[in-house]
Amino acid sequence: MSEQEPATASKVMMYVAALVAVLFGIMTLKSGGQVLFGDESYRIAAGDYVPFVLWFNFTAGFIYLIAGVGIAFRKPWAAGVSMLIAASTLLVLAAFGLYIFTDGAYEMRTVVAMTLRSTIWTVISMLVFRQLVRR
């Protein structure tokens, strides 16, 4: 294996991370925007959505796009943005857990989505930090 192969593999991983971030951002903005700004049918379809989780995810969608662009261009600041996304998502997940614990109405798909978001952004932030800051 040549020295160039690991560098190529890391570039591919970074582009995949950037693509995931951007696609995740677009999907988040679309789905959140429909519930927040669309007609009543979207709110009804969303069921027992939790407003603070919905607003957090919608606004985070813009930051996902910024992070994705930074990752694609291998900007070191993208590591900080990714870590901020991961940390804030984990905090909102914890607040959501407290909300559930106090008998707040919610949808199970929100639990799954927030767990998925937390996992994805934790992995992305670790990858980006390792590739752009710690190298």
Side-chain angles (χ1 to χ4, degrees):
M1 184 186 273
S2 73
E3 287 183 33
Q4 198 171 12
E5 287 179 41
T8 302
S10 72
K11 280 185 180 181
V12 169
M13 285 191 312
M14 293 296 286
Y15 284 124
V16 168
L19 181 63
V20 168
V22 168
L23 290 176
F24 214 49
I26 291 168
M27 292 181 336
T28 297
L29 290 170
K30 180 181 184 292
S31 62
Q34 287 175 326
V35 175
L36 289 169
F37 308 114
D39 61 38
E40 189 65 22
S41 65
Y42 291 110
R43 284 180 284 289
I44 292 168
D48 288 322
Y49 65 89
V50 180
F52 77 88
V53 174
L54 176 61
W55 275 104
F56 168 78
N57 287 334
F58 178 73
T59 56
F62 293 102
I63 310 303
Y64 295 177
L65 297 175
I66 293 167
V69 170
I71 295 166
F73 287 101
R74 301 181 65 82
K75 299 294 184 182
W77 56 258
V81 173
S82 298
M83 286 188 275
L84 177 66
I85 293 169
S88 59
T89 303
L90 287 166
L91 286 172
V92 171
L93 178 59
F96 178 52
L98 184 60
Y99 171 84
I100 291 169
F101 184 72
T102 59
D103 293 326
Y106 69 98
E107 296 290 333
M108 190 61 190
R109 65 181 174 235
T110 306
V111 174
V112 172
M114 287 303 291
T115 302
L116 179 66
R117 287 174 194 279
S118 297
T119 302
I120 286 173
W121 280 103
T122 298
V123 169
I124 287 174
S125 67
M126 291 184 332
L127 171 72
V128 172
F129 179 81
R130 188 176 337 170
Q131 293 296 314
L132 298 181
V133 176
R134 212 177 105 199
R135 54 181 156 127

